[in-house]
Amino acid sequence: MSQLNRPLVEALQDFKAQQPLSFHVPGHKHGILSTLPRDMRSALAYDVTELTGLDDLHEAEGVIQEAEKLLSTLYRSTRSFFLVNGSTVGNLAMLYATCSYGDTVIVQRNAHKSVFNAIELIGAKPVLVTPPWDDRTLTPGVLTYEQVNEALKEFPHAKAVVLTYPTYYGVAGNELKGIIESCHAQQVPVLVDEAHGAHFIAGGAFPPSAIELGADIVVQSAHKTLPAMTMGSFLHVRSDFIDEKNIAHYLRMLQSSSPSYLVLASLDDARAYIASFTKEDHLEFMALRQTFIDEVKRQTSYEVVETDDPLKLLVRSGGYSGFQLQRAFETVGMYVELADPYQVLIILPLTLQETKFPLQRWLKKMHAAVPLLGKELQVTLPTALPAWPTGISTLDKSPSSIKKIGHEWIHIEEASGRVAASSLIPYPPGIPLLLTGEKITASHMNALLELVEMGARVQGADRLSEGKIAVMKIDSEEKR
């Protein structure tokens, strides 16, 4: 079957063409009962359930199976899965299929919260490895070959190494293949959260995908960089260490038993889209991207920083934080992916030749934001973020022991040296500043206060407005 075919999309179109009567769920009855606005309601004709001819995600043997086989062929995996609960469920499934209670897992410190949530749910023990600071993007980067080998030497019984590739900001580095080969030589599987790399299969100027480099399991958010609906993701398996049947088992348990056919169809469509991406499309995209960068530099005072991933651009304005720049952009109707103390992150669309950049409209809005930004007070940008322990570290207490002992709320100035009872997560990007069970340092608290003062949103900071955070109560045994 051609990669340009979309078996699930075509099956849904054929189903709708029958003008079927609905005596089944969902209750909106093909949108007839919905009071959503008309343009939203029109999509509900395809929001169906596991009906004859439309297959079943959890026991696929028809059009969904065909669509997933096309996905597997394209990404050269042993087996690939559609995910309707985002990369979060993929990260959960790959860790459940690999680790058990009490197992040691080596984890890149700037992993997404879903990775740490999975480890906590399983009851595994994370070994945290902080990557080097990337001076170009002003963000934590990716782990080095030496760092991973050092962690494996110190924790030789680790059940898995969990990496983030690329980072949210598009940092990929060039050591992943060597890391994977070294881990495999020690019989340790490599699990990769490649949420922001579903488009890497396009090749050219894009970094190689982790599945191409030999990773055992790779999870990708198709909705982040491909034209899939939100929550639509892929999971790929190609491993001598992990049985794909275990992945399927946990996905049946962890994913919704009523998967969205709209999300599934968008995954089928996104796979066909990237499969159709030609060398000519790539050249056209790169040329338009360069024109955009050149014009921003020519027409405005913004600094544009390129990353390893051509889809990602960082925009800075000297003397102003990324949060201030974000506010100025939003005032003129331009919305970026995220802001941090130093910059905003722009994710470009992966366009085909026939879908051009709205270049002049973008430039006009960026230009219009300049005088708005000038009305803001200039700030001194922090130099000590994200304030994680360097090198290799572990949690001071397990989340389960904190639940047993309990927690209390204390003022921030009293928190240094105590153990965090809940994670504090700037969102986006969803990378924890402080993990449940981690010992709190003065650097953690300084970084937290700086982020909040600049306008960052922090998940888990329920009483931060009162100047308080949750810490584990002091164990009565430790008091003695």
Side-chain angles (χ1 to χ4, degrees):
M1 182 179 289
S2 168
Q3 284 288 344
L4 300 183
N5 288 352
R6 300 174 300 169
L8 182 53
V9 173
E10 292 156 13
L12 287 168
Q13 288 178 308
D14 291 343
F15 180 79
K16 182 177 180 293
Q18 300 174 30
Q19 297 184 325
L21 295 176
S22 173
F23 288 96
H24 55 78
V25 299
H28 57 66
K29 305 300 179 182
H30 301 316
I32 294 172
L33 302 185
S34 174
T35 57
L36 285 170
R38 181 177 297 178
D39 54 349
M40 295 184 189
R41 192 167 65 243
S42 62
L44 297 184
Y46 299 96
D47 182 37
V48 292
T49 188
E50 295 90 343
L51 303 171
T52 301
L54 297 182
D55 209 357
D56 180 350
L57 176 65
H58 297 296
E59 204 65 50
E61 54 186 15
V63 290
I64 294 177
Q65 183 185 59
E66 291 176 19
E68 288 186 331
K69 283 184 177 179
L70 285 170
L71 179 67
S72 178
T73 299
L74 179 64
Y75 283 86
R76 299 180 182 178
S77 68
T78 304
R79 185 172 179 184
S80 293
F81 299 84
F82 285 163
L83 306 179
V84 295
N85 291 84
S87 286
T88 290
V89 79
N91 289 339
L92 288 167
M94 72 179 182
L95 278 155
Y96 266 103
T98 310
C99 308
S100 301
Y101 180 85
D103 285 344
T104 296
V105 183
I106 296 171
V107 187
Q108 186 168 325
R109 182 59 181 81
N110 52 333
H112 189 262
K113 63 177 183 176
S114 59
V115 170
F116 295 112
N117 288 342
I119 292 170
E120 180 178 343
L121 286 168
I122 294 166
K125 299 176 181 178
V127 172
L128 311 173
V129 187
T130 298
W133 182 258
D134 185 70
D135 290 325
R136 182 171 181 79
T137 61
L138 300 179
T139 64
V142 292
L143 295 185
T144 66
Y145 179 90
E146 289 77 15
Q147 284 184 302
V148 175
N149 274 349
E150 182 183 352
L152 283 171
K153 185 177 180 180
E154 189 171 341
F155 297 90
H157 301 298
K159 291 293 184 179
V161 170
V162 186
L163 303 175
T164 301
Y165 170 92
T167 69
Y168 208 124
Y169 290 82
V171 178
N174 56 12
E175 298 190 40
L176 181 58
K177 184 176 178 62
I179 290 172
I180 292 170
E181 290 174 350
S182 178
C183 290
H184 285 176
Q186 299 174 68
Q187 304 296 300
V188 178
V190 178
L191 317 180
V192 178
D193 179 354
E194 195 176 85
H196 287 261
H199 60 294
F200 285 2
I201 197 72
F206 295 107
S209 172
I211 195 71
E212 298 175 84
L213 297 177
D216 296 86
I217 304 178
V218 176
V219 177
Q220 300 168 331
S221 293
H223 68 92
K224 284 182 167 33
T225 57
L226 299 182
M229 290 179 64
T230 298
M231 295 178 69
S233 295
F234 301 145
L235 185 151
H236 310 289
V237 185
R238 189 172 68 190
S239 177
D240 294 329
F241 306 104
I242 302 166
D243 190 340
E244 66 187 48
K245 293 179 181 177
N246 284 341
I247 294 289
H249 170 73
Y250 284 107
L251 285 176
R252 282 193 290 269
M253 296 174 68
L254 295 167
Q255 291 207 98
S256 171
S257 59
S258 301
S260 165
Y261 271 79
L262 284 170
V263 173
L264 289 171
S266 77
L267 288 171
D268 192 20
D269 182 66
R271 185 268 316 151
Y273 184 93
I274 192 62
S276 73
F277 195 79
T278 65
K279 289 182 180 178
E280 292 73 24
D281 291 323
H282 186 277
L283 291 172
E284 181 74 11
F285 164 78
M286 292 300 291
L288 286 167
R289 171 184 176 274
Q290 191 60 52
T291 300
F292 174 68
I293 293 171
D294 292 343
E295 288 300 304
V296 169
K297 291 179 178 179
R298 186 180 69 84
Q299 296 185 30
T300 73
S301 58
Y302 303 130
E303 178 186 1
V304 180
V305 178
E306 301 177 55
T307 75
D308 296 334
D309 179 3
L311 279 190
K312 304 288 182 71
L313 295 175
L314 303 176
V315 180
R316 300 172 187 158
S317 186
Y320 299 99
S321 73
F323 302 109
Q324 291 173 305
L325 187 55
Q326 180 183 43
R327 286 195 295 270
F329 282 159
E330 290 182 354
T331 300
V332 299
M334 177 179 168
Y335 292 83
V336 298
E337 173 64 15
L338 62 79
D340 67 27
Y342 311 103
Q343 60 215 342
V344 298
L345 171 63
I346 289 176
I347 302 180
L348 299 175
L350 187 67
T351 53
L352 303 178
Q353 292 181 79
E354 61 268 25
T355 53
K356 307 292 186 183
F357 276 125
L359 190 60
Q360 294 307 317
R361 183 166 178 249
W362 285 23
L363 292 169
K364 183 178 179 181
K365 287 188 177 295
M366 293 185 78
H367 195 273
V370 172
L372 297 175
L373 188 62
K375 296 178 182 179
E376 297 264 2
L377 292 175
Q378 291 194 332
V379 297
T380 300
L381 300 181
T383 58
L385 298 178
W388 295 326
T390 57
I392 299 170
S393 62
T394 58
L395 297 182
D396 196 70
K397 297 289 183 181
S398 69
S400 59
S401 67
I402 294 173
K403 290 178 183 176
K404 181 178 179 181
I405 296 169
H407 71 274
E408 59 183 332
W409 293 89
I410 65 172
H411 286 282
I412 287 177
E413 59 267 22
E414 301 170 354
S416 183
R418 299 291 296 273
V419 175
S422 67
S423 296
L424 298 176
I425 309 169
Y427 199 90
I431 298 166
L433 171 67
L434 189 64
L435 290 165
T436 303
E438 199 168 13
K439 182 162 283 188
I440 302 168
T441 66
S443 295
H444 282 129
M445 294 299 92
N446 290 338
L448 175 64
L449 292 173
E450 283 185 316
L451 286 168
V452 172
E453 185 177 352
M454 287 186 170
R457 290 179 293 151
V458 181
Q459 295 179 347
D462 300 347
R463 295 180 64 179
L464 198 58
S465 61
E466 303 172 32
K468 294 182 177 182
I469 65 168
V471 299
M472 186 184 79
K473 288 182 178 178
I474 296 176
D475 191 342
S476 57
E477 293 294 322
E478 293 182 357
K479 288 180 180 179
R480 295 198 293 269

